[in-house]
Amino acid sequence: MSVVVDDDLWSAVGDPIRRRMLDLLLNDGGGTATSLSEHLPVTRQAVAKHLVVLDRVGLVHATTAGRERLFRVDQAQLARAVAQLADVGAGWDARLRRIKRIAETIRRAGESTDKTGKQ
Amino acid sequence: MSVVVDDDLWSAVGDPIRRRMLDLLLNDGGGTATSLSEHLPVTRQAVAKHLVVLDRVGLVHATTAGRERLFRVDQAQLARAVAQLADVGAGWDARLRRIKRIAETIRRAGESTDKTGKQ
DNA sequence: ATCCTCATGCAACCAATGGTTGCGTATTTC
DNA sequence: GAAATACGCAACCATTGGTTGCATGAGGAT
């Protein structure tokens, strides 16, 4: 039943700072730790650590150019992460709907004959 | 632009243990720290701490009955969390599609003069 | 060649979080 | 009343996300 989730991938996008970093990288087509930190409320070093995390799970890739390290989003991997979000969301959604339906059934059963459609 | 996300709510469902706890609570219609811990790879105390977190953001509510504290999922709040997941997912999805479309446009623009069908 | 600037990398250190064990307390149950 | 059980609290540990400070390396100006 419950959707299989790559916990590393999930926790990588679970951090709000990392989500904003991905946003920035997508909008600008890439960026460095320094350039990113200018648009974020944390230091360059903190951003660098987050980039390590994102790189470890393959959400970004770096290319060294001179004294800069340019990071770009791996769109395929991000698409996979987004799909997982959607899956988990859909799973819970279905569960909630099922429960609601059951509650509905029970309520109706109380009104007339017993017809409990238990899960 | 970027979807507004309640970071507390997000981070509450961001933890894999907490997700499994919500799953268990939904399936059984409720549970205590002790009962939950029997189906999880962590101790009762760890579960209790997670329950505090979930309670703080309103995803579960407790009712004390004798020496037990029974926790139940607040389905409305969970639905809200799920909606946020969906929103964030949809936002990124749209962004990715937009980028893909732009790339497509650029590629086609290149083909009009240059015929390398590269990908 | 040298010096200055700027982007990185590395290390030490701090606070918060998720986990553990141990122990005290309250409610059932026998 | 005594044993068992469900909880809560406190101490303690490891990991993580954050900081500051400093060393290094590449580029540009003199």
Side-chain angles (χ1 to χ4, degrees), chain B residues 2 7 16 18 20 22 28 31 37 39 41 46-47 51 59 62 64-66 73 91 97-98 103 106:
Chain B
S2 58
D7 276 343
R18 286 196 282 265
R20 292 188 55 191
L22 289 171
D28 303 353
S37 70
H39 302 93
V47 171
L51 284 171
L59 278 169
T64 302
V73 175
R97 264 203 312 273
R98 203 172 60 226
I106 292 174

Side-chain angles (χ1 to χ4, degrees), chain B residues 22-112:
Chain B
L22 289 171
D23 249 347
L24 289 170
L25 288 177
L26 277 181
N27 282 337
D28 303 353
T32 67
T34 307
S35 76
L36 286 173
S37 70
E38 284 162 9
H39 302 93
L40 292 169
V42 295
T43 60
R44 169 183 66 85
Q45 286 83 343
V47 171
K49 288 187 187 177
H50 283 301
L51 284 171
V52 170
V53 174
L54 291 174
D55 190 74
R56 238 176 14 216
V57 300
L59 278 169
V60 301
H61 296 288
T63 60
T64 302
R67 62 179 165 187
E68 293 196 339
R69 290 198 75 206
L70 186 71
F71 288 84
R72 264 191 248 86
V73 175
D74 182 322
Q75 296 182 17
Q77 187 72 346
L78 179 55
R80 208 168 308 159
V82 170
Q84 288 196 359
L85 281 190
D87 279 355
V88 172
W92 272 335
D93 201 49
R95 226 176 248 98
L96 286 173
R97 264 203 312 273
R98 203 172 60 226
I99 289 170
K100 196 165 189 176
R101 204 199 55 210
I102 292 173
E104 194 68 10
T105 305
I106 292 174
R107 190 165 63 73
R108 246 193 296 269
E111 274 172 9
S112 51

Side-chain angles (χ1 to χ4, degrees), chain A residues 20-106:
Chain A
R20 291 189 56 189
M21 286 171 58
L22 289 171
D23 249 347
L24 289 170
L25 288 176
L26 277 182
N27 282 338
D28 304 352
T32 67
T34 307
S35 76
L36 286 173
S37 69
E38 284 161 9
H39 303 93
L40 292 169
V42 295
T43 61
R44 170 184 65 85
Q45 285 84 343
V47 172
K49 288 186 187 177
H50 283 302
L51 284 171
V52 169
V53 174
L54 290 174
D55 189 76
R56 241 183 5 222
V57 300
L59 279 169
V60 301
H61 297 288
T63 61
T64 302
R67 63 179 164 183
E68 294 195 340
R69 291 198 74 205
L70 186 71
F71 288 84
R72 265 191 249 84
V73 174
D74 183 322
Q75 296 181 19
Q77 187 73 348
L78 179 55
R80 209 168 308 158
V82 170
Q84 287 195 1
L85 283 191
D87 279 355
V88 171
W92 272 336
D93 201 48
R95 227 177 248 99
L96 286 173
R97 265 204 311 273
R98 204 171 61 227
I99 289 170
K100 195 165 188 176
R101 204 198 55 210
I102 292 171
E104 195 69 9
T105 304
I106 292 174

